[in-house]
Amino acid sequence: MPSTDLWRLSASELSTLLERREVKAAEVAESVIARIEQAEPELNAFISRTGDAAVRHGSRVDDDRANGAHLSPLAGIPIGIKDIICTKGIRTTAGSKILESYKPPYDATVWSDLRDERTLLVGKTNLDEFAMGSSCENSGYGPTRNPWDTSRVPGGSSGGSAAAVAAGMVPISIGTDTGGSIRQPASLCGVVGLKPTYGLVSRYGLVAFASSLDQAGPMTRSVRDAALVLKTISRYDPRDSTSIPGDRPDYLSGLGRPITGMRFGVIKELSGEGMQPGVVERFQQTLTTINRLGGSVEEVSVPSVTYGIDAYYVITPAEASSNLARYDGTRYGLRVEAPDVLATNRATREAGFGAEVKRRILLGTYVLSSGYYEAWYGTALKLRTQIVRDFEAAFGKVDLLVTPTTPTTAFAIGEKTADPLQMYLNDICTIPANLAGSCGVSIPCGLAAEDGLPVGFQIMGPALAEATMLRAAFALEAEIGFDGSKAMS
Ligand code: GLN
């Protein structure tokens, strides 16, 4: 392969070539940067780009390898990081104008772990402001477009991360998922997106949206690459009080083992009604594939699951209204001068936040206010507990739960911006795993007949079942043989 085409390869493929010293990390970085130059004007997947530093670091990786150093399989692999993850000295906007010139004085653990493995950061990817959204249209830096069809959204909030991976701008990106923001855009862009169990990956250095749900995870073009990245970023971190102590299993060793006898539960409440026919068709086809591979498929009821959206859109605004109180014009970020402190605070927030963020702050403040707290926030917490229990009961019967990742394929830019409730409905299949604290992954399972756009198949496991979930995803991926090349053309 000519070195100019290296951008087409997965991280695992690049890793083999780098280890054999058949290609240089600097060449890989240059190839990816050329691809970004070509595709970025149309896609707008990045908020900031750091290509020059990536090439420099790549050359150092090459020197060390030439000197016989034993390096990580990720050394010299280009990555993109969602711009809500703090990178020391590199602008981190969270997609918001209120942080337009914010350069964090410290690194998020996910990033420092990846940097220590010597991955090459090529840029910070676009997202809905503060990760609030399902289409990337709420970014303060313009929408990202879907590489399969640029009149469509890439999904959100990690839309830039998904589009960048699908288009070949990076083999790996890191997203965050509070209610589906890794899995939903992965589904709409035809890539793999994994949301780890809450507490598996450190939240230290993630700009907080809803702290009881936020998790970072990998977005890649193959299940093996997702496992490779998860291996690096999942560890106990004393700087995150919700980090789960103890060692993590080896996510790679189970890949390739058969799934014979594995029990898959189709969530009855989320398996077809109101969904696009082409999505349902691909979903059903994948269930047949499971059977062919020797897995069993049965229908499982998770009665509370349809209340997930209701609970989520009370709990997350409540947490966000508290988390976002820190953007007051006095500590960091934007400051709009006004005669007194309160007026400065008001003017800064008025100018710095976009419409969706304001909507959620208002909603959150309302549901937490005295007199309404029990009725709204209290009820939502009860629903969340019920979902946790129903998931536990379901996982007593089956090993993994499956649903389509999203009810439809990628929708048109502008199609849902006028109706927030329509937008929120996108998350119906992804939110439950966040509320239950489970892990979930979306893998591409084909193209929908009506529009030729990618469909995602979601697999969820109980807490800490990533290894089993990845094993199933790997087996299905091999059988499905999804072709994502159209997004790379
Ligand atoms: N789309 C959901 C929301 O708008 C999920 C966002 C996320 O996971 N960060 O809140």
Side-chain angles (χ1 to χ4, degrees):
M1 163 173 293
S3 67
T4 46
D5 274 352
L6 290 169
W7 59 271
R8 293 184 179 278
L9 301 182
S10 72
S12 303
E13 288 163 339
L14 287 170
S15 184
T16 307
L17 294 176
L18 286 164
E19 274 170 2
R20 289 197 203 129
R21 293 177 49 199
E22 284 171 26
V23 299
K24 291 202 153 103
E27 281 170 356
V28 174
E30 272 158 9
S31 168
V32 155
I33 291 161
R35 174 61 180 159
I36 295 175
E37 296 283 333
Q38 180 193 25
E40 180 64 0
E42 237 190 327
L43 299 182
N44 192 35
F46 289 89
I47 293 179
S48 304
R49 280 151 67 180
T50 54
D52 292 346
V55 176
R56 265 198 324 273
H57 290 137
S59 300
R60 264 181 246 143
V61 168
D62 294 328
D63 290 346
D64 289 350
R65 241 191 204 115
N67 291 329
H70 187 71
L71 302 179
S72 143
L74 286 176
I77 308 288
I79 61 164
I81 291 203
K82 186 178 183 181
D83 205 24
I84 200 164
I85 298 174
C86 286
T87 43
K88 185 174 173 179
I90 301 168
R91 183 165 83 122
T92 301
T93 67
S96 181
K97 288 290 176 193
I98 215 160
L99 289 177
E100 188 161 16
S101 50
Y102 175 61
K103 285 191 179 164
Y106 68 105
D107 284 319
T109 301
V110 251
W111 160 231
S112 60
D113 283 355
L114 284 161
R115 193 202 45 213
D116 291 351
E117 301 277 299
R118 320 242 343 234
T119 58
L120 311 176
L121 179 69
V122 298
K124 303 292 298 287
T125 51
N126 201 2
L127 69 154
D128 288 295
E129 185 175 7
F130 288 103
M132 298 176 191
S134 309
S135 68
C136 228
E137 290 163 294
N138 298 336
S139 169
Y141 302 86
T144 297
R145 289 169 182 273
N146 191 315
W148 289 81
D149 174 348
T150 51
S151 70
R152 312 254 179 165
V153 303
S157 62
S158 314
S161 297
V165 170
M169 297 161 120
V170 276
I172 294 170
S173 68
I174 301 297
T176 61
D177 191 312
T178 305
S181 279
I182 289 175
R183 292 159 289 155
Q184 186 259 12
S187 170
L188 269 44
C189 288
V191 300
V192 176
L194 187 146
K195 182 205 92 74
T197 302
Y198 184 77
L200 191 81
V201 174
S202 172
R203 284 186 301 108
Y204 180 77
L206 263 54
V207 176
F209 163 18
S211 313
S212 77
L213 298 158
D214 300 341
Q215 267 294 288
M219 305 179 79
T220 58
R221 290 192 298 270
S222 79
V223 174
R224 179 177 293 282
D225 282 4
L228 192 63
V229 177
L230 188 65
K231 192 177 153 138
T232 297
I233 63 174
S234 71
R235 69 166 171 96
Y236 170 65
D237 181 8
R239 286 179 299 189
D240 170 3
S241 61
T242 57
S243 176
I244 299 170
D247 291 338
R248 274 45 173 165
D250 178 359
Y251 302 111
L252 289 155
S253 59
L255 304 184
R257 279 177 48 205
I259 61 162
T260 334
M262 247 191 217
R263 292 166 307 168
F264 292 78
V266 177
I267 301 185
K268 185 175 136 214
E269 291 80 3
L270 298 176
S271 60
E273 207 188 320
M275 291 185 180
Q276 185 181 324
V279 168
V280 178
E281 193 186 334
R282 288 299 176 196
F283 176 68
Q284 297 291 349
Q285 216 168 49
T286 311
L287 298 179
T288 313
T289 307
I290 292 176
N291 278 141
R292 200 168 54 238
L293 291 172
S296 70
V297 176
E298 62 193 90
E299 202 171 71
V300 177
S301 176
V302 184
S304 58
V305 85
T306 47
Y307 296 110
I309 294 220
D310 308 65
Y312 174 90
Y313 280 101
V314 171
I315 293 169
T316 55
E319 293 188 25
S321 69
S322 164
N323 272 327
L324 271 57
R326 69 189 63 162
Y327 306 105
D328 56 7
T330 60
R331 284 172 255 212
Y332 41 74
L334 182 74
R335 177 185 177 89
V336 178
E337 294 294 345
D340 60 51
V341 174
L342 198 60
T344 301
N345 186 281
R346 209 175 273 151
T348 300
R349 290 166 71 83
E350 169 59 36
F353 289 140
E356 181 63 22
V357 171
K358 286 178 185 154
R359 174 163 28 239
R360 301 221 190 173
I361 292 173
L362 287 172
L363 247 171
T365 311
Y366 176 77
V367 300
L368 289 176
S369 59
S370 112
Y372 297 99
Y373 181 95
E374 254 319 303
W376 289 101
Y377 188 63
T379 307
L381 289 185
K382 284 181 197 147
L383 279 173
R384 180 176 187 174
T385 304
Q386 192 56 48
I387 291 171
V388 171
R389 291 201 184 125
D390 285 358
F391 260 69
E392 272 167 15
F395 285 128
K397 296 184 203 131
V398 294
D399 300 308
L400 299 165
L401 290 168
V402 296
T403 69
T405 310
T406 55
T408 68
T409 55
F411 45 93
I413 292 183
E415 190 179 324
K416 297 188 189 203
T417 38
D419 185 352
L421 292 181
Q422 274 304 315
M423 193 66 94
Y424 299 168
L425 276 175
N426 257 287
D427 310 326
I428 188 155
C429 299
T430 47
I431 280 174
N434 300 80
L435 292 174
S438 311
C439 52
V441 65
S442 178
I443 59 166
C445 66
L447 304 176
E450 316 68 350
D451 51 24
L453 292 168
V455 177
F457 186 81
Q458 179 179 224
I459 311 174
M460 290 174 279
L464 302 178
E466 277 81 0
T468 311
M469 186 174 82
L470 282 162
R471 189 174 134 204
F474 186 83
L476 288 176
E477 171 185 64
E479 215 35 42
I480 293 165
F482 179 77
D483 176 9
S485 58
K486 185 170 173 232
M488 296 170 80
S489 58

